[in-house]
Amino acid sequence: MKELRLENKLKQTEVAKALGLSITGYCGYEYGNRDPQTAILIKLAQLYHVSTDYLLGVNEPAPDGVGKIILASKSPRRRELLNQMGIEEFKVTAPNVDETVEPSLSPAETVEQLSLRKAQAAVNRAGPNDLIIAADTVVALDGKILGKPRDEEDAFAMLSALSGREHHVYTGVTVLRGGEAVTQHEETAVAFRDLTPEEIRAYIATGEPMDKAGAYGIQGLGALLVSGIRGDYCNVVGLPVFRLGRMLAGLGVDLLGTNKEQAKS
């Protein structure tokens, strides 16, 4: 339990509060003084996004040839999309990486490089048979990357620039297992309707744009700004499900249970 808490960068007091326990009561579980009750196990599994079976065997090494899936991202949207793909049991980690890249790189090259960097940074927390999935998403207008807004005025400037125009969302995805890494990217075109200054201010007032690349979230109220898309909607949310499915199939992870050779085609 301590390993999972540290990987999720949580304090004992934070976990205790989430479980509805006193700090003394929680520490009794973490230090192995007593076994957690079923209700506590369920809450822990929900908190760490793992199964209760995984919690019960958290200190046991995986059998030879059997590895875990590790998502190198804390994004709740990416977790939801993995669940949508039928991947229900996976470990979440978010290693800190240097996100500085050469300014000459294109948006596609940028997200591929950063996703690979994130996957490689998660290797030291993975077993030899574990499969790591990492992703990085950017919004680009006229080839220029729009990051997360610094403040409300920056968000206003971004949304004003996107108003009535088409921009592109790029997500780089890396799947890494052992010494083998596969990195690809997906590109989706997104068109905004014409927005009035009042609409932009109202959207900013919701707080939704402030932690989003490009200052909007298509999975939330930002959908009200979008007049259409060309490409993978899931890519705009943060994880291109179709492309990731093909990449996993190429590594022998057959999510549909069909013939793996067919899945590679």
Side-chain angles (χ1 to χ4, degrees):
M1 290 187 186
K2 182 177 180 181
E3 178 191 51
L4 282 172
R5 177 175 63 79
L6 293 176
E7 287 182 356
N8 284 270
K9 298 181 180 179
L10 293 172
K11 298 177 181 178
Q12 290 178 328
T13 52
E14 293 173 323
V15 178
K17 182 178 180 180
L19 299 178
L21 298 172
S22 67
I23 185 64
T24 303
Y26 168 71
C27 287
Y29 296 132
E30 183 168 295
Y31 297 139
N33 296 333
R34 61 182 183 277
D35 294 328
Q37 299 174 345
T38 301
I40 297 298
L41 278 173
I42 292 173
K43 288 182 179 180
L44 280 168
Q46 292 172 340
L47 179 65
Y48 294 135
H49 302 281
V50 297
S51 68
T52 53
D53 287 341
Y54 178 79
L55 281 175
L56 291 170
V58 69
N59 293 319
E60 298 175 5
D64 290 343
V66 178
K68 301 183 293 293
I69 291 178
I70 298 174
L71 175 63
S73 171
K74 287 292 181 65
S75 165
R77 294 168 291 280
R78 290 184 178 132
R79 293 199 296 262
E80 290 168 2
L81 288 170
L82 278 190
N83 288 153
Q84 180 180 317
M85 295 175 69
I87 303 174
E88 297 180 353
E89 295 187 10
F90 53 90
K91 188 176 179 181
V92 175
T93 185
N96 293 322
V97 298
D98 178 10
E99 298 195 13
T100 304
V101 297
E102 291 293 329
S104 60
L105 293 181
S106 68
E109 291 169 330
T110 296
V111 292
E112 286 197 0
Q113 184 175 116
L114 290 177
S115 72
L116 177 60
R117 198 177 294 175
K118 291 177 180 179
Q120 291 171 333
V123 168
N124 61 351
R125 300 183 183 183
N129 299 312
D130 292 346
L131 187 149
I132 299 169
I133 299 171
D136 188 81
T137 301
V138 301
V139 172
L141 180 65
D142 297 330
K144 179 182 178 182
I145 293 175
L146 304 180
K148 296 178 182 179
R150 297 183 300 273
D151 50 34
E152 291 188 355
E153 288 307 310
D154 194 28
F156 185 86
M158 286 187 189
L159 292 168
S160 297
L162 295 174
S163 174
R165 299 194 59 196
E166 183 178 84
H167 62 274
H168 295 259
V169 178
Y170 298 82
T171 299
V173 181
T174 293
V175 177
L176 186 154
R177 181 166 57 189
E180 182 179 6
V182 179
T183 301
Q184 298 180 11
H185 77 273
E186 188 68 42
E187 176 184 355
T188 302
V190 181
F192 268 26
R193 63 180 176 82
D194 290 321
L195 306 175
T196 67
E198 293 75 20
E199 287 176 316
I200 294 174
R201 293 289 185 196
Y203 179 52
I204 292 172
T206 68
E208 184 178 277
M210 303 315 296
D211 65 341
K212 307 289 192 304
Y216 79 97
I218 198 171
Q219 73 282 353
L221 290 170
L224 298 171
L225 316 180
V226 175
S227 60
I229 69 171
R230 290 186 292 111
D232 185 351
Y233 166 83
C234 295
N235 181 53
V236 186
V237 178
L239 193 67
V241 167
F242 171 77
R243 184 166 296 277
L244 176 57
R246 296 296 86 199
M247 293 168 71
L248 291 173
L251 291 173
V253 180
D254 187 7
L255 298 175
L256 291 177
T258 57
N259 182 278
K260 292 178 182 177
E261 290 304 316
Q262 291 178 345
K264 294 180 184 179
S265 62

